[in-house]
Amino acid sequence: PGWLTPGSGPRRNLLDMDTFSKSDPVVVLFMQASGGSEWKEFGRTEVIDNTLNPDFVRKFVLDYYFEEKQNLRFDPPDSHSTVLGVQDFLGQAFVALGEVIGSQRGRLERPLTGVPGKRCGTILLLAEELSNCRDIVTMQLCANKLDKKDFFGKSDPFLVFYRSNEDGTFTICHKTEVVKNTLNPVWQPFTIPVRALCNGDYDRTVKIDVYDWDRDGSHDFIGEFATSYRELSRAQSQFTVYEVLNPRKKCKKKKYVNSGTVTLLSFSVESEFTFVDYIRGGTQLNFTVAIDFTASNGECSRCGVCPHQRGHGAGADGCCAAGLPSQPTSLHYASPYQLSAYALALKAVGEVIQDYDSDKLFPAYGFGAKVPPDGKISHQFPLNNNVDNPSCAGIEGVLESYLQSLRTVQLYGPTNFAPVINQVAGTAAQVTDGSQYHVLLIITDGVISDMLQTKEAIVTASALPMSIIIVGVGPAEFEAMEELDGDEVRVSSRGRYAERDIVQFVPFRDYVDDSGNQVLSMARLAKDVLAEIPEQLLSYMKTHDIKPRRPDP
């Protein structure tokens, strides 16, 4: 979560709609549901009287999701009426939340538009992440003279931590390990986010129960004590000792003192850096596209059979080497009414990531085709036909180059991933200080020919600032892609394991909307396929001890 406010700044100069004074503006924020078209009012600022350069104080608190295109609309009407539509229209601004967060220092200025023939001024938006729940606590505890619960031995104690809720109930938030056969256990240090321990409320009660572990799960209650984050934090300068009390024993025994003590040996706090910290600190996401141009992307234009079904690779027997993308059976086919699965996947991912790339220039490659002028097979050709500068201007530029390539190359094969992965890895290796992070999108029909080389490339790339997204299109089985994903078993090559999990694979068919709504299909795909990118970026930064840069003042 974070807050967003239409803030102070120069050159706002709103339209003056009042005859005898200046306008009285208010800003109304509208949000659009992911994949939807309807705008719903989210909230509005206070009204500021008689000014064309308002500085609004009220903030909008929004939940931010990197993997979604969160479209916002800001309407600053002249507030003669509390009913929107009755007020004088001063223009409006459209922006994605990712654009604000991805802009320098989280500040984005946009012109207001919508009044024909008039300059409506500008709106300045500021975004900041809420930071009260980012800290991580590491603590260690020990106990002394706990009650003996086992008949043939001493107790096997462990601790259970509970966070108190607003309604007075408690929610378990941590369990320590069991220390066997002792009344004086020393537990291992453990780490827990502050938000899990107390939900950011430093004075909220934290209840700790002490149990004796039993094999059958019927653990014996030894006692309990209560504290708070604020009280625990005092252990940074001194030991804190808590009496462990058993309410039932206290009621029964007049001379009961306690059931032992628990001592907080150490307590330290450090900030957990977030994805937004790095983006605000200037980290750029560099987006590269690689598209499968092999002939297995549809039925052969000569024999009418899908190469997957025939059991041979493209061009293996002189057939299935020239499936035409102009044929409706091709996965590259785009009708006059809708985009191909390749184009949809490209737009879905690219339109989210482009908000975090300041120059909006995206290298785009094809692989597995015969390219002009000599008809040689290429596993890494620039879609814009410019070997020296393969970058396209914006996602629309990538789409345009992709469609142009379909008209000039011959779909062929085989399907090799390693060359383009190594190409992006080589670029990523040039800047490893955290200022650049690369995301490679591979869109393929899933028939991979160089699995060993691809695994080797992924293992090498896992030590670099990059992630790989693979979107599978078409009806093929994607066992090879699942293996590269590495969620179950980390990718390895020649005895080396990937340093991090950097590959995310999804089959596009799982996200296609049954009603044919392509916008909804793209939103679903982007949400799932991009969800791991923030954590993958953070894992690289943490592994290499790279802290976010402070934004320029």
Side-chain angles (χ1 to χ4, degrees), residues 2-8 25-29 41-48 54-62 74 79 82 123-127:
W3 59 260
L4 181 73
T5 181
S8 60
V26 58
V27 170
V28 184
L29 170 60
E41 182 177 335
F42 180 85
R44 53 182 69 194
T45 66
E46 74 278 15
V47 176
I48 298 183
D55 291 332
F56 296 105
V57 174
R58 188 169 301 163
K59 301 171 178 63
F60 300 117
V61 179
L62 310 174
F74 295 89
S79 184
T82 57
I123 185 170
L124 177 63
L125 304 169
L126 300 93

Side-chain angles (χ1 to χ4, degrees), residues 229 232-240 264 266-269:
Y229 174 87
L232 288 167
S233 66
R234 295 185 186 130
Q236 293 178 92
S237 57
Q238 62 185 36
F239 285 167
T240 304
L264 182 60
S266 63
F267 184 95
S268 60
V269 185

Side-chain angles (χ1 to χ4, degrees), residues 215-335:
R215 187 180 301 276
D216 62 3
S218 59
H219 310 308
D220 298 317
F221 179 70
I222 295 177
E224 64 184 10
F225 62 95
T227 182
S228 66
Y229 174 87
R230 194 179 302 280
E231 188 173 314
L232 288 167
S233 66
R234 295 185 186 130
Q236 293 178 92
S237 57
Q238 62 185 36
F239 285 167
T240 304
V241 181
Y242 297 95
E243 282 193 299
V244 178
L245 301 177
N246 187 320
R248 292 182 66 182
K249 291 182 73 172
K250 189 175 182 180
C251 291
K252 289 181 179 180
K253 297 181 179 181
K254 291 183 179 179
K255 295 184 179 180
Y256 175 80
V257 178
N258 58 47
S259 295
T261 60
V262 169
T263 301
L264 182 60
L265 297 175
S266 63
F267 184 95
S268 60
V269 185
E270 63 180 28
S271 290
E272 177 186 32
F273 296 120
T274 67
F275 174 75
V276 174
D277 288 331
Y278 288 97
I279 297 300
R280 283 175 57 83
T283 297
Q284 291 284 303
L285 297 189
N286 298 313
F287 183 46
T288 302
V289 180
I291 297 178
D292 187 340
F293 280 78
T294 59
S296 54
N297 278 280
E299 294 179 1
C300 178
S301 59
R302 283 178 279 176
C303 72
V305 178
C306 172
H308 293 303
Q309 297 170 339
R310 294 192 57 180
H312 63 257
D317 62 356
C319 192
C320 295
L324 296 176
S326 59
Q327 298 295 318
T329 53
S330 171
L331 295 173
H332 286 291
Y333 176 73
S335 76

Side-chain angles (χ1 to χ4, degrees), residues 452-470:
L452 293 179
Q453 295 89 336
T454 295
K455 284 184 174 181
E456 178 73 15
I458 289 172
V459 170
T460 300
S462 68
L464 298 170
M466 68 176 286
S467 293
I468 302 169
I469 296 168
I470 304 174

Side-chain angles (χ1 to χ4, degrees), residues 30-48:
F30 293 85
M31 296 188 69
Q32 198 174 51
S34 180
S37 58
E38 183 182 356
W39 292 97
K40 291 187 177 180
E41 182 177 335
F42 180 85
R44 53 182 69 194
T45 66
E46 74 278 15
V47 176
I48 298 183

Side-chain angles (χ1 to χ4, degrees), residues 32-37 65-71 339 341 343-353 471 504 506-508 510-513 516-531:
Q32 198 174 51
S34 180
S37 58
Y65 303 99
F66 165 77
E67 65 272 17
E68 293 184 17
K69 188 79 171 177
Q70 295 175 268
N71 291 323
L339 296 171
L344 285 174
L346 171 59
K347 279 178 66 72
V349 177
E351 287 186 352
V352 173
I353 288 186
V471 177
Q504 168 77 339
V506 296
F508 184 73
D510 290 355
Y511 302 90
V512 175
D513 180 60
N517 185 333
Q518 291 194 334
V519 175
L520 190 57
S521 298
M522 289 192 295
R524 289 173 175 173
L525 174 68
K527 185 173 182 178
D528 224 30
V529 82
L530 291 171

